[in-house]
Amino acid sequence: MNATLQRVTQRIIDRSCVSRDAYLTRIEAARSQTVHRAQLACGNLAHGFAACQPGDKAALKSLTHSDIAIINAYNDMLSAHQPYEHYPQRIKQALQSVGAVGQVAAGVPAMCDGVTQGQDGMELSLMSREIIAMSAAIGLSHNMFDGALYLGICDKIVPGLVMAALSFGHLPSVFVPAGPMATGLPNKEKVRIRQLYAEGKADRQAMLEAEAASYHSAGTCTFYGTANSNQMVMEMMGLHLPGSSFIQPDSPLRDALTDAAAIQVTRLSEASGNYLPIGRLIDEKVVVNGIVALLATGGSTNHTMHLVAMARAAGIIINWNDFSDLSDAVPLLARIYPNGPADINQFHAAGGVGLLVRELLAGGLLHEDVQTIVGFGLSRYTMEPWLDDGRLAWRDSPAASLDATIIASVAHPFAHHGGTKVLDGNLGRAVMKTSAVPEENQVIEAPAMVFESQHDVGPAFDAGLLNKDCVVVVRYQGPRANGMPELHKLMPPLGVLLDRGYKVALVTDGRLSGASGKVPSAIHVTPEAYNGGLLGKIRDGDTVRVNGKTGELTLLVDEAELAQRQVPVPDLSTGAEGCGRELFGALRHQLSGAEQGASCISF
């Protein structure tokens, strides 16, 4: 076992001992030695099964059969979630085959960040995680259930569902993916057309055709953003069935995996004699495995917040130092766009999660001695599913990469450092996704160009004001200022500047997530400008140093000068209304800093 992995894990255990013990005591108190609905009064129980079919109603009356909650994030706005439309009925049939009952306990909101990028609605995105957790909790609060199945894939949705599941940590829980869409327009070509559009060299019709060819059917978007990072992390944390994350929708294998996931949760219930609640399954070692999964694949920077909030829901306290130290030990083993040309389907074909787990275990970079939904030991996740004469079976994943340009070995990694770097300095702490940034671009010292809205960067670019070495500072984008939107609208123009030969970087208290590309970006700057962070004192022309190699983020201005500067107070009122934002004001002002998970939920 890698010494750094052991040291960080023990540090997390020591740091979390009080909160973890309190959490385990709480979920043990919620445990029932019989079916949970037996605690309900007759009138309560009658309401709970009133709409059930006769067979299910009889089973629920008997107080001997398990009742499984289905928490569904279905809508057909999200391509990734559209396949979930018919999952509840399929799941109910699978549960009936083993004498259990399934009930849709809650539908939770699920927004598409791809639709809201650069729009007002994006300011609700991060906060939707908290709403998802609360919505799922409302469904589970009926106390009818002996286990739960969670149907969700995309950005804030899976973390919110995990937080809810851990709030009801006494229940066995299985997460059910739906898989990626088929490969469309190559990512490199999509980026090329986006940059041509940013330069005015391609019209809107060409841009729309390229985007439509990229995002073209049901299933998860195929680039390695937060949605697919969610799936990678969940599988390596043992919350999916082995090898199930990246099987495409509408395939017989996907249907078989969905049936198997439904049945599997009944095998973990109190009645099964093999009780394993999610609150005990997810421990400090499992959380570290999730971080390793993220780092080894160059996954979404959103998880530097999400994993913090998810772990805290289980009484486990992690911070960015844990990410940073693990990143020094975990090599980069995957090249998936934006840190390489391949998409998630090509990653899966090259050996996928099973091969990655095999490599990391062999290198002592994952905890093998953990619980999973399919039993003890992470080595079970070196297997991949297949159909043997129409029946679901598992076999060994490839012993070596089938495409060494997509999945590398621990012996010969793409980089000896994980894909995430924590930056620190007088500007605060920040995160940089280094896996997609060429080394020669990771260090920049240049004058600042300061903006207080992402919408002002485009006009400055069009006017030629950014045609120089510069550090673009976009502030007042943090959790409390405006909900911390993703700022992908900035990537095409800044990418053009890099291609023109300028040294350029982005510094912001906003987000970029898994689609962060070749532009060196210090994101999630904490403390945010709205909370008095030094980011608020930067002026145009100040020299800023961003060093993704050493982890430095420094404003090179004399301390006496900074002490005399007044922090400008921008008018953020226009961003507090419209597109539903007025409904979220109280929640927004309760959000913690990015390193604390950007959460308003107190666990």
Side-chain angles (χ1 to χ4, degrees):
M1 179 63 66
N2 179 275
T4 299
L5 193 80
Q6 289 181 310
R7 176 173 55 83
V8 172
T9 303
Q10 188 58 52
R11 184 171 75 197
I12 294 170
I13 292 171
D14 294 342
R15 185 192 301 139
S16 307
C17 61
V18 173
S19 54
R20 179 66 175 168
D21 285 349
Y23 172 78
L24 293 174
T25 299
R26 175 164 64 84
I27 66 170
E28 182 63 26
R31 179 180 179 180
S32 173
Q33 297 299 321
T34 181
V35 294
H36 278 268
R37 64 187 179 279
Q39 303 171 41
L40 300 179
C42 292
N44 302 139
L45 183 56
H47 277 84
F49 60 57
C52 289
Q53 295 299 312
D56 286 347
K57 188 176 293 188
L60 294 177
K61 282 182 180 179
S62 74
L63 301 181
T64 58
H65 297 259
S66 291
D67 189 14
I68 304 300
I70 302 168
I71 308 293
N72 194 0
Y74 162 74
N75 66 48
D76 58 14
M77 267 290 299
L78 276 75
S79 62
H81 288 206
Q82 186 273 346
Y84 284 138
E85 180 178 5
H86 302 295
Y87 271 43
Q89 190 57 40
R90 182 172 199 99
I91 285 169
K92 289 178 182 181
Q93 291 172 354
L95 290 169
Q96 287 171 347
S97 74
V98 292
V101 176
Q103 291 185 288
V104 177
V108 303
M111 67 181 294
C112 180
D113 289 2
V115 174
T116 56
Q117 288 292 347
Q119 307 296 317
D120 292 344
M122 175 51 74
E123 296 182 10
L124 304 183
S125 174
L126 182 57
M127 290 183 287
S128 75
R129 185 190 67 189
E130 318 302 285
I131 303 301
I132 289 161
M134 296 174 193
S135 300
I138 290 170
L140 295 169
S141 68
H142 295 98
N143 204 27
M144 287 278 294
F145 306 111
D146 308 294
L149 294 163
Y150 295 88
L151 281 55
I153 292 173
C154 287
D155 295 14
K156 268 54 67 184
I157 300 148
V158 166
L161 292 175
V162 173
M163 291 160 69
L166 288 167
S167 184
F168 287 78
H170 60 287
L171 295 180
S173 299
V174 172
F175 285 73
V176 186
M181 67 177 68
T183 300
L185 185 72
N187 288 305
K188 187 175 182 179
E189 177 65 8
K190 176 181 66 177
V191 172
R192 186 185 71 85
I193 294 173
R194 282 179 176 177
Q195 292 195 176
L196 288 175
Y197 181 75
E199 294 180 276
K201 297 177 180 178
D203 62 17
R204 182 179 176 85
Q205 187 61 37
M207 179 72 166
L208 181 57
E209 290 300 323
E211 298 289 350
S214 300
Y215 311 115
H216 58 89
S217 68
T220 315
C221 304
T222 59
F223 70 91
Y224 195 45
T226 308
N228 284 321
S229 295
N230 283 341
Q231 306 312 293
M232 189 80 70
V233 168
M234 296 299 281
E235 188 163 332
M236 285 210 207
M237 289 177 71
L239 296 170
H240 284 175
L241 291 180
S244 65
S245 295
F246 303 120
I247 305 297
Q248 290 180 2
D250 300 323
S251 68
L253 180 55
R254 171 54 69 199
D255 290 342
L257 285 164
T258 301
D259 293 346
I263 293 169
Q264 189 63 25
V265 75
T266 67
R267 296 175 177 147
L268 306 176
S269 68
E270 190 78 58
S272 73
N274 188 40
Y275 177 62
L276 180 60
I278 189 173
R280 289 198 174 273
L281 185 158
I282 294 182
D283 63 11
E284 294 88 346
K285 291 181 178 180
V286 169
V287 169
V288 168
N289 284 350
I291 298 174
V292 171
L294 183 76
L295 297 172
T297 57
S300 170
T301 51
N302 273 330
H303 273 290
T304 61
M305 293 182 294
H306 294 329
L307 277 167
V308 172
M310 290 158 59
R312 190 66 186 85
I316 298 168
I317 302 170
I318 61 175
N319 59 39
W320 287 353
N321 290 336
D322 301 323
F323 285 83
S324 184
D325 289 354
L326 288 170
S327 197
D328 287 338
V330 176
L332 182 66
L333 300 184
R335 288 285 191 199
I336 322 169
Y337 181 82
N339 71 351
D343 69 10
I344 201 68
N345 293 315
Q346 292 167 305
F347 164 81
H348 184 71
V353 179
L355 171 60
L356 204 61
V357 171
R358 186 187 303 280
E359 279 293 321
L360 290 166
L361 284 174
L365 292 165
L366 284 172
H367 292 287
E368 201 280 332
D369 55 336
V370 293
Q371 294 284 0
T372 78
I373 62 166
V374 293
F376 187 78
L378 195 63
S379 58
R380 296 169 183 266
Y381 284 74
T382 63
M383 309 294 285
E384 65 178 18
W386 67 298
L387 291 179
D388 181 8
D389 196 25
R391 297 176 64 88
L392 182 63
W394 269 267
R395 60 191 176 193
D396 287 336
S397 61
S401 177
L402 302 180
D403 189 334
T405 68
I406 300 174
I407 302 178
S409 66
V410 170
H412 302 286
F414 295 120
H416 291 284
H417 185 279
T420 301
K421 185 72 175 178
V422 176
L423 310 184
D424 207 341
N426 65 353
L427 277 172
R429 286 163 66 83
V431 172
M432 178 186 287
K433 182 173 178 177
T434 57
S435 57
V437 181
E439 283 199 19
E440 62 271 19
N441 291 341
Q442 291 182 18
V443 181
I444 177 173
E445 185 175 310
M449 291 286 291
V450 183
F451 302 90
E452 293 175 359
S453 169
Q454 62 173 318
H455 304 297
D456 295 333
V457 177
F461 170 81
D462 293 339
L465 300 178
L466 302 181
N467 287 332
K468 57 185 178 182
D469 292 355
C470 62
V471 174
V472 174
V473 176
V474 185
R475 61 193 181 191
Y476 296 102
Q477 306 299 306
R480 290 194 178 185
N482 65 350
M484 204 179 190
E486 292 180 351
L487 306 175
H488 291 301
K489 186 176 182 178
L490 306 179
M491 288 298 98
L494 297 185
V496 169
L497 294 176
L498 277 179
D499 291 346
R500 289 175 180 172
Y502 298 114
K503 295 280 286 183
V504 62
L506 172 69
V507 174
T508 181
D509 44 12
R511 296 185 292 131
L512 281 176
S513 90
S516 309
K518 62 186 179 182
V519 178
S521 303
I523 59 177
H524 306 178
V525 174
T526 305
E528 62 176 290
Y530 184 83
N531 273 6
L534 188 60
L535 207 62
K537 288 190 175 183
I538 300 179
R539 295 178 180 174
D540 285 341
D542 287 349
T543 301
V544 176
R545 181 184 295 147
V546 179
N547 192 323
K549 295 181 179 180
T550 64
E552 182 181 359
L553 180 62
T554 305
L555 175 61
L556 299 174
V557 175
D558 183 76
E559 290 294 328
E561 161 69 13
L562 290 175
Q564 293 178 359
R565 287 187 181 179
Q566 299 298 311
V567 177
V569 181
D571 181 7
L572 302 178
S573 61
T574 57
E577 297 179 347
C579 205
R581 288 175 290 181
E582 61 275 9
L583 301 176
F584 288 76
L587 186 153
R588 182 169 56 246
H589 294 304
Q590 295 300 316
L591 293 176
S592 61
E595 187 168 7
Q596 291 73 45
S599 179
C600 70
I601 297 176
S602 176
F603 289 104

